[in-house]
Each structure stands twice: as C-alpha cells, then as structure tokens.
Amino acid sequence: MELSYPDPTGCQHKLGETSRGLLKVCNLSAVTLLSSSWLQFAGKLNATAPTTTQRATNPFGIGFASSPIARRRANPRILTPPLPARSYRSRPLSHSAPSNSKPSSPLLSHPPTMAAAATSTAHSLLLQRPTAPRAPAAAASSLRLPARAAKISCAAVAAPSASSPLTGAGDRGVYNFAAGPATLPLSVLKRAQAELVDYHGSGMSIMEMSHRGKEFDAAIKKAEADLRALLAVPDTHAVLFLQGGATTQFAAVPLNLCAGPSDPADFVVSGSWSDKAFKEAKKFSAASAAWSGKDAKYTALPPFDDIKQNPEARFLHICSNETIHGVEFKDYPEPRNKSGILVADMSSNFCSKPVDVSRFGVIYAGAQKNVGPSGVTIAIVRKDLIGNAQPITPVMLDYKTHADNASLYNTPPCFAIYICGLVFEDLLAQGGLAEVEKKNAYKAGILYDTIDASSGYYICPLEKSVRSLMNVPFTLAKGPDFEKQFIAEAAKEGMVQLKGHRSVGGVRASIYNAMPLAGVEKLVAFMKDFQARNP
Ligand code: PMP
C-alpha cells in the first residue's frame, strides 16, 4: 500500500510499504490511502513530535530505524534526503593567474587553500547527512485522516523551480561524476518531466510536434537568445544547433575554413581530443601540429610564444579543455595567421565561465557535458567565415546551410535543443557565467587541495596553472588495484562513474556546472576516509 506526499523541493514522493520502511520517489498527482495500517502510520503524523534523527530521514519527520549511510550500504539506490543549498560566500577565493598567460578573468585558477576548512572533519562529513527540510506545517496538518480508508487529494505540490540551487543529484540517491553524457540540473529534469507529456498546453510532447510549429520555434529562439545573453555573443557571430557531435566538427572546421586540402592550418595538440581533431583535419587541409604535449603525456599547455604558428595558416585550433587529460586553457593564444582565426573545441567547458566570443572565429561544443543531453552540438561562427566551404563539403557540414535556415534546414534534435534551453535559463537564473565560474572554481579548489594535501597518496600529474575546473583526473600511489577498490567503494557510497577514461586509467571526477558542491564535498570526505583506512 502506498502513501504519496509532496515535499518542499516540488518533487512528489511515494512511501513504499516495505519491511525496512524505505523511501522511494515517484511521480503521482494525488494521495490515495487504502490500508488501515497506513492510516495508523499516518495518524502518527499528528500524534508524535519527531526527533531530530527522525526529521533527518523524511520530510514528514517520521523516523526509520537505520541511519542514511547504513541504509545506503544496504541499498545504494535508496533515496537520501535533499541536501540544503551551500554557501560559497563564506570562503574567499584565491586568484592566481596561470603561468603561461595574461589573466583575462580574476578566477583563472582554483583556490589553493580552501580544502583545509572544508575537509578537516573528513570522516564525520562523510557520515553526516544534512537535516532534510520538513514538509510545510500546513501540508502535514492537512492530513487529518478519517477513521476509514478514504481518498485524499493533495494539491500542495509546488511547480518545479526554474532555477537550480546547489542541491540536486544527491536527491536522486547518487552523485554522478560522469565525463559525458553527464549530470544535468535536477530542476531542469523536473521541469522537462512536468512538460513532457503536454508541452505548454499543446496536448503534445515537444518530441511529437513539428519543428516548424510555433511551440518549437519559440523554444529554439529562446534557447538561442538565452545562450547569446549568457556568453554575450556579439551580432558578428551566428549560433548554430547542429548534429553529429563535436567529432563531426573536426571535419566541418577545415571544410568550411580552408580552400582545399593544401591550405595550411595550425593545431595545438594538448590531449586526445585535439589530437583527433588534428588527424581528421589532415584529410581536408594541410594541418600541422604547432605544438604537441604528447611527450609530456599531455600534462601541460604551452607558453603561447612556444606555439609555432604558421602565418599562412587559415586558422589556429585549440581544445579549450581536454576532457580525458584534464588540462584547460585559462586564457587563449592570439592567432598569428593572416585571417586571425582562432577555433576552439569547448565541448567540456562550454558555459562553465565567461568567454570573450569576439576572439574566436569558431567555437564548437557537444552539449552533453555542461549544457544538455547528447544529440546536439552548438557552433558559434563568425558570420564573415560562413559561405566559403570547399565544394566537396556535404550540405549538412556547410555552416551556410544551417545559418541560412536558422538551424532548421532538416529536422533538428528538438528534444536536446529544448533541454539546452532549460539549462541556459537555469544558468541565467543562477546569475550568469561569472557566478557559475565562482562555484566551479570553488568546487575544483577543494578537490585539488585534497589531492595536494594527501602527501602523495593521490596524484594529479598536471601542471597546477592548467588544471581543469571540469575534469579532475588522479591516480592512487598504491596502484591500479587500490584505484579499483576506491572506485567501487565510492560507488557504494553513491558517488558513481569515477573511473578514468579507458585510455589513461586511474580516477576522473568530472565536476561540471550541474555537480552540486555537496557532491564534491562528499567525494573529498570519502578520499580522506579512504586514505585513513588504507594507509
Ligand atoms: N571534444 C571533446 C573535448 C570531448 O570531450 C568530446 C567527447 N567526450 C569530443 C570532442 C567528441 O564529442 P562527440 O562525442 O560529441 O562527438
């Protein structure tokens, strides 16, 4: 038998009657009480004042036998109470500029000393669960139950919020550290869920309607407008919603920017992704590596003067954040080619911080890390570069095709674009990318500080000035067996998808915009605890 109830996060829950009294999440629109045992149970709502421990276990304040951690161990899928929003203001950020460049932002590097405060009580932090918010008094007291079974409608279900506090994935029982497709803001998922079946009163899902109808037209236009606002995209640049992943852009860029296969192009090869882009570009241009970090195992980025730029090159290509190796450009090199074109693959740090778009000829990014699901790739292209594609360019890879047709030349990935639109709205509601960057710098800071303070137990081989705020790869000095154990135990504690990329091994924590601070705090506490238990 079941009892469902609203909670203050706007999610509806169902109490499943099990021997352990476990909570499950569901999506019901009414409360139905059918069993007399549930009536007795629910009757306690008014009869018994909950203890602090009881309050921590569910919004009604009815306590269950075991602690959240014990319940998690028994069943990793178990719902844990929502975590409260965290404040970033109490800890100052340290601003250190990267060694290889002139700072363009005060937040170029992670704060080095924050971890001490955040992690000094590592074990206790790990075990501690914040007290869950209680159901509003009105909602609880309205549950005055009749003596016999009755149907009770519950209208007090809050609409999903458009903005995302830094609670989130924890509400789903896990913190998801995947590199991509990656965690999305819970508020966005709830909003999509609420709108899924009947989009804006149309009686259809956004997946079921014409991409040329008024509803989708409004959705894609708003997504573009919000992205333009977020990144301050100037009128000189077009925003395109494309398909084929960032991998397709590895070919599209030289096809659109080079006159033919003998036209030179420069690549900074700073990791696996820029290496792939470089190799693909060789098919459609005379691409050369202006700098390569391969010998240093992709742990550094070049001082900009070390990039051997060809003045005849059509463009200089960089990958602004290497998702696998974890090196991130904190500033960008000036292109020294005649046409002044800088191209960046921003797949894994897109919309994680403000960027001066006017410095780029082309920015492209697969959405599935920071701004949406897989299926859509966003390209921001300087308008004067559009319309010069090589004659062999397939119509779908020609930027002009998409610019002339407002990204609606053929059927676009409607649902993915719609979700990106919700994410953009969420990022704007958070205060824009400057705010988002502060949060990202803080999260990465406490993680790197923990690694650096571990006396070599955890190793991050990257040069400090180029460490990514998005993807934090590290190894354990005790070797691969302990890494496996670390990843398995973390998963049991609800921190999933921490395995490093198959090409490099180790551990990788991807902490994109939507990773709550609470998730990184929990990881940091777990790392200290793991080290203490396995010296
Ligand atoms: N570039 C970077 C930096 C990436 O991280 C990825 C995917 N992980 C790609 C390109 C390839 O993207 P896609 O899978 O969308 O083709």
Side-chain angles (χ1 to χ4, degrees):
M1 296 302 158
E2 294 167 352
L3 165 65
S4 71
Y5 63 91
D7 79 10
T9 67
C11 184
Q12 295 197 4
H13 297 262
K14 177 171 72 182
L15 297 182
E17 192 179 38
T18 74
S19 59
R20 300 181 65 84
L22 302 183
L23 294 175
K24 290 180 192 167
V25 184
C26 72
N27 181 30
L28 302 176
S29 59
V31 175
T32 308
L33 292 178
L34 296 169
S35 111
S36 59
S37 66
W38 270 112
L39 288 178
Q40 285 165 6
F41 168 78
K44 289 183 193 166
L45 292 176
N46 294 326
T48 320
T51 64
T52 308
T53 320
Q54 285 170 337
R55 266 185 237 123
T57 57
N58 70 74
F60 276 144
I62 302 296
F64 295 112
S66 53
S67 74
I69 275 282
R71 288 184 291 116
R72 153 99 55 219
R73 287 205 168 109
N75 177 2
R77 306 293 312 164
I78 195 169
L79 176 78
T80 48
L83 294 156
R86 302 305 174 94
S87 167
Y88 290 85
R89 276 169 299 176
S90 54
R91 297 170 193 153
L93 292 170
S94 146
H95 308 145
S96 64
S99 63
N100 65 353
S101 63
K102 186 164 58 68
S104 63
S105 145
L107 290 162
L108 295 173
S109 169
H110 80 272
T113 56
M114 284 181 252
T119 62
S120 58
T121 54
H123 201 113
S124 60
L125 233 184
L126 178 66
L127 299 176
Q128 166 196 321
R129 304 295 305 189
T131 303
R134 300 186 66 202
S141 64
S142 68
L143 279 168
R144 293 197 184 283
L145 302 169
R148 286 173 187 272
K151 194 171 179 194
I152 298 177
S153 289
C154 190
V157 178
S161 146
S163 72
S164 116
L166 287 157
T167 57
D171 295 346
R172 286 185 275 166
V174 294
Y175 290 110
N176 174 6
F177 291 89
T183 193
L184 284 165
L186 184 56
S187 63
V188 164
L189 294 177
K190 283 185 179 173
R191 169 105 172 258
Q193 182 183 46
E195 294 181 344
L196 187 69
V197 173
D198 179 5
Y199 183 72
H200 291 195
S202 66
M204 295 173 277
S205 157
I206 198 157
M207 287 180 282
E208 301 170 303
M209 56 179 63
S210 168
H211 54 290
R212 303 193 191 283
K214 66 177 180 352
E215 290 91 353
F216 185 73
D217 187 57
I220 192 170
K221 283 195 173 126
K222 181 160 190 328
E224 177 176 340
D226 284 352
L227 178 59
R228 283 185 174 278
L230 269 176
L231 278 169
V233 179
D235 284 346
T236 45
H237 286 62
V239 171
L240 309 176
F241 295 99
L242 308 172
Q243 300 187 63
T247 304
T248 301
Q249 295 307 305
F250 297 166
V253 165
L255 280 166
N256 279 274
L257 302 187
C258 293
S262 55
D263 225 2
D266 282 338
F267 280 75
V268 175
V269 181
S270 53
S272 297
W273 291 111
S274 48
D275 190 42
K276 283 193 169 155
F278 169 50
K279 286 179 175 141
E280 184 75 347
K282 280 181 175 175
K283 297 176 189 166
F284 311 108
S285 67
S288 60
W291 184 86
S292 172
K294 192 168 185 186
D295 290 346
K297 298 198 170 141
Y298 299 129
T299 54
L301 290 173
F304 294 155
D305 285 344
D306 286 3
I307 303 173
K308 302 252 174 314
Q309 294 196 49
N310 176 355
E312 300 303 319
R314 282 292 297 164
F315 60 86
L316 172 67
H317 181 283
I318 61 168
C319 175
S320 61
N321 184 74
E322 289 283 356
T323 321
I324 296 174
H325 295 92
V327 292
E328 179 173 21
F329 280 87
K330 309 297 178 179
D331 192 12
Y332 307 102
E334 289 297 334
R336 303 231 171 95
N337 51 71
K338 274 192 220 145
S339 24
I341 304 174
L342 178 63
V343 176
D345 173 0
M346 291 198 180
S347 293
S348 50
N349 66 353
F350 190 59
C351 287
S352 68
K353 58 184 174 183
V355 165
D356 180 357
V357 173
S358 69
R359 291 179 66 177
F360 295 85
V362 180
I363 291 170
Y364 62 90
Q368 66 270 20
K369 285 123 192 350
N370 252 333
V371 297
S374 59
V376 63
T377 306
I378 294 165
I380 302 175
V381 186
R382 223 171 69 198
K383 288 176 182 164
D384 63 299
L385 304 177
I386 297 173
N388 307 307
Q390 296 180 32
I392 59 156
T393 307
V395 68
M396 283 298 287
L397 268 57
D398 188 338
Y399 292 143
K400 187 167 166 37
T401 305
H402 302 286
D404 286 353
N405 292 281
S407 300
L408 295 171
Y409 173 73
N410 72 331
T411 316
C414 299
F415 190 74
I417 292 170
Y418 152 74
I419 297 284
C420 287
L422 297 186
V423 172
F424 297 149
E425 221 177 290
D426 177 76
L427 295 174
L428 285 170
Q430 287 185 45
L433 297 185
E435 287 307 308
V436 169
E437 181 185 30
K438 279 185 206 160
K439 293 172 185 174
N440 287 332
Y442 188 92
K443 286 184 292 182
I446 62 171
L447 187 44
Y448 285 119
D449 282 354
T450 303
I451 293 168
D452 293 343
S454 72
S455 308
Y457 191 88
Y458 299 108
I459 301 162
C460 175
L462 308 177
E463 202 185 272
K464 285 191 183 173
S465 64
V466 299
R467 286 172 165 183
S468 168
L469 298 190
M470 301 283 98
N471 309 98
V472 180
F474 59 94
T475 55
L476 272 68
K478 287 170 81 74
D481 287 347
F482 275 85
E483 286 163 4
K484 265 190 207 143
Q485 188 185 330
F486 177 95
I487 291 162
E489 284 186 22
K492 277 194 196 138
E493 296 291 350
M495 290 164 283
V496 298
Q497 308 216 56
L498 277 163
K499 201 164 178 287
H501 190 268
R502 60 188 184 281
S503 63
V504 292
V507 183
R508 173 175 50 173
S510 294
I511 49 173
Y512 299 117
N513 292 348
M515 170 56 65
L517 173 59
V520 183
E521 286 177 338
K522 184 168 178 174
L523 175 62
V524 154
F526 173 76
M527 288 166 72
K528 290 208 156 197
D529 179 62
F530 186 89
Q531 181 175 359
R533 285 187 288 108
N534 304 282

